[in-house]
Amino acid sequence: MFTKLIEFLVKLFEKFGITGSFSVILSELISAIILFAIALSLFYIAHLILKKTLFVFIKKSESKRDDLIINNNIFRRLCLLIPAYIIRNYISSAIPDYPTIYNIIILLTKVYEVFIYCRILDAIITTLSQIYDTYEVSKSKPIKGFVQVVKAIIYIVCILLIVAILTQRQLSSILIGLGTLSAVLMLIFKDPILGFVGGLQLTLNDMLRIGDWIVMEKSKADGEVLEIGLTTVKVQNWDKTITTIPTYTLISDSFTNWRGMENSGGRRIARSFVIDADTVKFCTPEMLERFKKFQLVSKYIEDKENEIKEYNKHNNIDTSNLVNGRRQTNIGIFRAYLHEYLNDCPYINKNMTFMVRQLAPTEYGIPIQIYAFSSNKEWISYENIQSDIFDHVFAVVSMFDLKIYQRPSSNTLEKVHVLEV
């Protein structure tokens, strides 16, 4: 076809007085332009046919996963191979008198084809990765790091093939030559290699998932894992800032993962306050009568008082002296009250450990710790529940003739000094 076209153009130019080699150059130039125009037109026609047929069918389907094929331009990239095929097979017929030029064009076309194949594989892998991400298992077994490794290998192979085509050498000989540069390559790709190893360990050992809340003080990360990549892990902190952590750092250094708490039945409350030791005392009958009016501990006081009386009577204890025998204390009744208060609180998980315990005394006083689990694990609700509990503690403690220890401020000491004067 192109031979006849060139002959026709040469005769046509001769009629206009253009003869010799110049007419041949013009004829073959026009022939090459027509070839490129045909190749480009076939690409647009093929893509238009796909848009009017296959694309319409895909968009009408109920599944949204097949839409990813269109979004990632897999078919468009396949259509890009059509011009390369046309030009590579017909360029020698379009410009037969210039073998050097058409050999260069064929060489560049082969490079173009390798690049397009690489882009097609990239799009296919991206699509498969995005389809995988729609499943719940992707949160516990993210594959983004592996996908990046596969893509990196594909592009490396693509570059090597292009070098082999341009230098017209065998790929094996190029690989042998690269062996001498292995040390340099290891240095260049050190981070991706360490990241791949780290990502592999994180995934296989189920140490990290997308959506986990982690704390890593060294990297100043305190938030939700958004992305686990080949070289970095992206964390959105509680204040909405983004922290990127090298993947291998999560293996070499320690971090806290709150997933265990989220998967459990509650979020732990373990906060203490200090009772002034000077306010701890044995309960007098008057105090016991007053404390019995507190509904949460009235039964406890009665049962405990009966138990103590029986014990003292059985052991012939002289109860006229406070030191002898067993007696109830205001701090003991206060602990019992707090235990019943927690038991009565609807926001505390009763199936998990909850207690009010006394810690070792310090120079500041007697620490009392509330150890329980909030049934609501959401951060704001958890903090509100914890605050409500201690609001009540600070308000009710004085009713048991106890005081919370608070270190005196300079203003307090100044007032005391003035009174003494």
Side-chain angles (χ1 to χ4, degrees):
M1 180 182 70
F2 286 102
T3 303
K4 292 180 180 180
L5 176 63
I6 293 169
E7 290 175 356
F8 169 76
L9 290 173
V10 169
K11 291 178 181 178
L12 181 64
F13 288 135
E14 286 176 351
K15 289 181 180 180
F16 290 96
I18 302 172
T19 58
S21 61
F22 188 63
S23 65
V24 175
I25 292 172
L26 284 177
S27 300
E28 295 193 9
L29 177 62
I30 293 171
S31 175
I33 292 171
I34 291 172
L35 174 63
F36 279 95
I38 291 171
L40 196 60
S41 300
L42 287 174
F43 160 72
Y44 283 111
I45 291 169
H47 190 253
L48 183 63
I49 292 171
L50 287 174
K51 285 180 69 176
K52 297 296 182 181
T53 55
L54 185 61
F55 285 17
V56 173
F57 175 76
I58 289 174
K59 288 180 178 179
K60 285 184 178 179
S61 67
E62 294 181 0
S63 175
K64 297 299 179 183
R65 294 190 179 103
D66 52 8
D67 293 345
L68 296 171
I69 299 173
I70 299 174
N71 297 338
N72 290 313
N73 297 318
I74 292 178
F75 290 114
R76 181 181 176 83
R77 293 177 186 181
L78 283 169
C79 291
L80 287 170
L81 291 172
I82 295 174
Y85 176 81
I86 298 296
I87 292 169
R88 182 163 54 84
N89 284 280
Y90 294 99
I91 189 65
S92 59
S93 301
I95 47 173
D97 295 323
Y98 300 96
T100 304
I101 294 175
Y102 71 65
N103 282 329
I104 291 173
I105 293 174
I106 290 172
L107 198 68
L108 293 176
T109 304
K110 289 179 179 179
V111 171
Y112 169 82
E113 286 179 355
V114 170
F115 178 73
I116 295 300
Y117 279 123
C118 179
R119 296 292 291 162
I120 291 169
L121 288 174
D122 184 309
I124 291 172
I125 292 169
T126 300
T127 303
L128 293 174
S129 173
Q130 290 174 350
I131 291 172
Y132 177 79
D133 288 341
T134 61
Y135 293 98
E136 192 65 27
V137 68
S138 64
K139 293 181 180 179
S140 59
K141 303 292 182 184
I143 61 169
K144 185 166 184 178
F146 303 108
V147 169
Q148 290 175 325
V149 169
V150 172
K151 285 185 178 182
I153 292 171
I154 289 172
Y155 278 102
I156 290 171
V157 172
C158 172
I159 292 169
L160 292 175
L161 286 172
I162 289 172
V163 171
I165 291 169
L166 292 176
T167 58
Q168 296 184 348
R169 293 173 61 189
Q170 293 291 329
L171 181 60
S172 57
S173 62
I174 293 175
L175 291 173
I176 292 170
L178 287 174
T180 58
L181 299 175
S182 58
V184 178
L185 292 174
M186 289 288 288
L187 183 63
I188 293 172
F189 295 105
K190 181 187 74 171
D191 289 338
I193 292 170
L194 288 176
F196 173 70
V197 173
L200 195 64
Q201 288 180 292
L202 288 173
T203 302
L204 293 179
N205 297 323
D206 199 20
M207 297 168 63
L208 194 66
R209 300 178 185 176
I210 293 173
D212 284 356
W213 190 285
I214 66 169
V215 177
M216 192 172 192
E217 294 181 1
K218 181 179 179 181
S219 301
K220 297 182 179 178
D222 184 0
E224 182 181 355
V225 177
L226 297 179
E227 186 179 286
I228 303 174
L230 175 61
T231 55
T232 58
V233 172
K234 188 182 292 184
V235 178
Q236 184 178 57
N237 298 313
W238 58 271
D239 58 357
K240 301 303 179 183
T241 57
I242 302 294
T243 300
T244 54
I245 308 170
T247 306
Y248 191 74
T249 304
L250 293 165
I251 300 297
S252 58
D253 297 325
S254 62
F255 68 96
T256 302
N257 192 331
W258 288 87
R259 189 202 314 158
M261 179 274 295
E262 293 174 353
N263 293 338
S264 68
R267 187 167 184 170
R268 191 183 70 165
I269 297 172
R271 185 182 289 183
S272 60
F273 54 93
V274 180
I275 296 292
D276 188 340
D278 292 337
T279 62
V280 177
K281 63 186 75 173
F282 288 120
C283 290
T284 63
E286 294 76 18
M287 291 171 66
L288 290 174
E289 287 301 317
R290 179 156 49 90
F291 294 160
K292 283 180 183 179
K293 294 178 182 179
F294 305 151
Q295 292 183 358
L296 290 177
V297 287
S298 59
K299 188 176 186 304
Y300 167 82
I301 294 172
E302 289 178 3
D303 292 344
K304 199 70 175 177
E305 195 64 19
N306 292 332
E307 178 189 328
I308 290 172
K309 285 180 179 178
E310 185 65 27
Y311 174 85
N312 290 337
K313 183 179 179 181
H314 180 74
N315 291 280
N316 297 317
I317 303 295
D318 179 12
T319 57
S320 61
N321 193 315
L322 292 176
V323 177
N324 296 331
R326 293 173 57 189
R327 293 181 184 277
Q328 296 196 70
T329 61
N330 58 344
I331 194 171
I333 293 175
F334 180 58
R335 285 192 298 107
Y337 171 84
L338 291 182
H339 185 276
E340 292 302 319
Y341 175 76
L342 292 176
N343 192 45
D344 199 51
C345 181
Y347 306 112
I348 298 298
N349 190 333
K350 311 305 185 304
N351 296 321
M352 302 182 75
T353 303
F354 78 96
M355 61 180 171
V356 180
R357 61 175 180 165
Q358 188 179 126
L359 303 179
T362 68
E363 65 271 26
Y364 303 110
I366 305 169
I368 301 294
Q369 185 187 58
I370 291 179
Y371 190 97
F373 288 85
S374 163
S375 55
N376 192 324
K377 294 172 284 186
E378 197 271 324
W379 186 25
I380 295 176
S381 300
Y382 160 80
E383 291 293 348
N384 287 332
I385 291 166
Q386 186 170 226
S387 298
D388 288 344
I389 290 171
F390 281 88
D391 288 346
H392 184 82
V393 168
F394 297 140
V396 80
V397 66
S398 61
M399 297 181 183
F400 292 87
D401 298 343
L402 295 167
K403 287 184 180 179
I404 301 288
Y405 173 81
Q406 179 176 296
R407 180 181 291 178
S409 66
S410 58
N411 291 332
T412 305
L413 295 174
E414 208 172 290
K415 290 176 182 177
V416 170
H417 178 70
V418 170
L419 289 172
E420 287 177 350
V421 171

